[in-house]
Amino acid sequence: METNNEIINDLKGLVNIVNDGKEGYESASEATDSIELQGLFLKYSAQRAGYAMELKEHIALHGGDSENESGGILGALHRTWIDIKQALSSKEDVAILSAIETGEKAAIEKYDQALEDYQSHADHIELLQRQRTGILEALKEIETYHQRLIR
């Protein structure tokens, strides 16, 4: 079983992930000319902001704090969202969607890692499962848009 500090660190890692996603979606919404995609990206950016708040509440319950309002600086997921920024510079919706898919898959992996330790995260397992499901649903919607554009 993990210590309280390890649980807090796991949750802070997830805050970084959802903040990376929030920033990535905001950047994507600014880079596309598609009104439909702008709306979709802003919806998921707002979703991730909500996820961060929920995670921060659980960090506080465990005696920690998370002042991070932006994503992780050195994490692999951050590098994934950097790829999104590079895709954004091309302003090609297919490239943007492809980069977002990569970011969402990386986020799901991080949630899966946290969910593996069921006992340590028992008091917030439902929250983590619900957020993971939300990210998976976002991924499926992004993949659907991507498939429509490449056909």
Side-chain angles (χ1 to χ4, degrees):
M1 183 152 181
E2 291 187 50
T3 66
N4 221 29
N5 283 342
E6 290 170 324
I7 293 168
I8 290 168
N9 286 337
D10 283 353
L11 293 175
K12 284 183 176 183
L14 294 176
V15 169
N16 287 341
I17 288 164
V18 296
N19 280 332
D20 280 340
K22 175 181 69 98
E23 291 175 9
Y25 276 119
E26 286 173 3
S27 296
S29 74
E30 294 167 6
T32 184
D33 293 327
S34 166
I35 300 297
E36 186 178 14
L37 288 178
Q38 286 173 357
L40 180 71
F41 297 155
L42 290 174
K43 173 179 90 170
Y44 288 127
S45 177
Q47 177 194 60
R48 299 311 151 81
Y51 286 178
M53 293 304 302
E54 292 172 339
L55 290 166
K56 288 177 183 181
E57 289 172 11
H58 278 272
I59 290 169
L61 289 174
H62 284 275
D65 63 40
S66 178
E67 297 302 318
N68 182 7
E69 293 300 324
S70 62
I73 294 172
L74 299 174
L77 194 63
H78 180 74
R79 287 189 293 278
T80 299
W81 286 106
I82 294 295
D83 292 342
I84 291 173
K85 288 183 180 182
Q86 290 171 346
L88 298 179
S89 66
S90 72
K91 283 199 165 256
E92 291 183 28
D93 290 341
V94 170
I96 294 169
L97 291 167
S98 180
I100 289 173
E101 285 176 22
T102 302
E104 295 295 54
K105 288 175 184 174
I108 289 169
E109 276 184 40
K110 294 296 184 188
Y111 271 82
D112 287 346
Q113 289 171 2
L115 288 165
E116 282 176 9
D117 192 353
Y118 189 87
Q119 280 189 317
S120 293
H121 295 287
D123 71 322
H124 49 263
I125 202 80
E126 288 180 21
L127 169 70
L128 298 183
Q129 289 171 334
R130 180 178 51 75
Q131 289 186 354
R132 183 199 181 278
T133 298
I135 293 169
L136 181 61
E137 289 170 355
L139 172 60
K140 289 179 182 176
E141 190 167 8
I142 294 297
E143 287 173 337
T144 299
Y145 275 92
H146 190 185
Q147 290 302 313
R148 280 189 359 212
L149 289 177
I150 60 175
R151 285 185 186 157

